[in-house]
Amino acid sequence: DRLVMVDAGTGELYGPNLNKLGASLKAVGYSPEQITDILITHIHTDHTGGLMDGDRMVFPNATLHIERKEVAYWFSEDQRAKATAAHQKYFAEAQAKVGPYKAAGRVKTFSGATQLFPGIRSEPAPGHTPGHSFYTLESQGEKLVFWGDLLHVAEVQLPRPDITILFDVDPKAAADTRKRAFVQAVKEGYWVAGDHVSFPGVGHLQADGKGYRWIPMPYVNDFYRTR
Ligand SMILES: [Zn+2]
């Protein structure tokens, strides 16, 4: 009875080579109006840009689920004033993309680890942003953890999880969160999904010397079956 999506893509903000969420949804047989819930890993606009198309809410029937600290941070004028030059513009964009949902009462916040739906819970993963969260989906004995922006450049951060990126609000905490998550993913052997990991973006992690190796999920393009 619910159709749940994780993050909402870039919208128009990152150029014409992205902004493919609408077409991708359509390709799997859904319309944006059918989405009932969107789990936001964090409010950076490559994850929330697709929520608005100009002044139109792209997902008019959806409730956004966002960690409380994340909303507080991105809607704080104090934080905006304090942010580095690299982060400043994201505040304006975040408010433009999430603000209309907030004003319409369609943002529901949670605090820390929370059971959101049967089989779906959040887990705090702070550092990249203050309220950055993982979402864990468990079904029929299998587990998939949506990592959001736990890593940005797999080729660099799998062998060296200590390397951080300019966009981390708290780089030290981001690196600590990443190291912990990598250890746990190898130990428990569950599926993981990373927003910035190359297609298909879902796979397993394997220990490799002092670092890690990404084992992508085998993927078959249905297009070829229909020819
Ligand atoms: Zn991010």
Side-chain angles (χ1 to χ4, degrees):
D1 58 338
R2 312 201 75 84
L3 194 58
V4 182
M5 187 170 83
V6 178
D7 286 342
T10 60
E12 81 293 352
L13 294 174
Y14 292 75
N17 290 330
L18 297 174
N19 200 10
K20 291 186 163 45
L21 178 59
S24 299
L25 268 181
K26 198 174 166 196
V28 291
Y30 298 117
S31 72
E33 290 77 15
Q34 288 175 279
I35 305 286
T36 59
D37 299 273
I38 306 176
L39 313 179
I40 302 290
T41 60
H42 64 303
I43 298 186
H44 276 156
T45 47
D46 49 332
H47 303 258
T48 54
L51 291 170
M52 298 295 296
D53 179 14
D55 57 8
R56 185 178 68 85
M57 289 165 77
V58 176
F59 302 94
N61 302 313
T63 296
L64 313 185
H65 300 265
I66 315 178
E67 217 280 342
R68 185 183 50 81
K69 289 193 217 71
E70 192 69 8
V71 176
Y73 178 79
W74 291 104
F75 283 85
S76 158
E77 286 311 310
D78 270 8
Q79 293 294 349
R80 179 180 180 155
K82 272 194 274 178
T84 61
H87 290 122
Q88 286 275 352
K89 78 170 184 128
Y90 296 110
F91 281 83
E93 288 179 356
Q95 290 172 18
K97 294 295 190 175
V98 176
Y101 288 81
K102 197 164 170 273
R106 293 201 159 270
V107 170
K108 197 171 169 192
T109 58
F110 57 87
S111 286
T114 303
Q115 191 77 41
L116 296 168
F117 301 102
I120 299 179
R121 61 189 162 79
S122 71
E123 188 187 327
H128 180 55
T129 60
H132 183 260
S133 299
F134 296 158
Y135 295 102
T136 297
L137 169 67
E138 285 183 277
S139 175
Q140 299 175 5
E142 290 209 88
K143 179 169 165 179
L144 167 62
V145 180
F146 293 89
W147 266 350
D149 277 6
L150 181 69
L151 70 167
H152 291 80
V153 186
E155 293 74 6
V156 173
Q157 291 170 309
L158 288 176
R160 289 281 309 274
D162 58 309
I163 293 180
T164 58
I165 195 163
L166 177 70
F167 302 106
D168 291 336
V169 173
D170 181 344
K172 165 94 173 57
D176 289 347
T177 292
R178 182 163 44 253
K179 289 175 198 167
R180 269 199 309 275
F182 283 2
V183 167
Q184 202 190 356
V186 169
K187 192 172 149 212
E188 294 193 29
Y190 45 67
W191 293 102
V192 288
D195 285 37
H196 293 286
V197 177
S198 297
F199 184 86
V202 180
H204 285 106
L205 211 62
Q206 202 175 63
D208 182 16
K210 285 183 176 170
Y212 299 87
R213 184 188 309 157
W214 178 257
I215 313 292
M217 180 184 73
Y219 180 82
V220 176
N221 189 335
D222 286 344
F223 174 73
Y224 293 104
R225 291 190 200 153
T226 63
R227 295 176 81 185

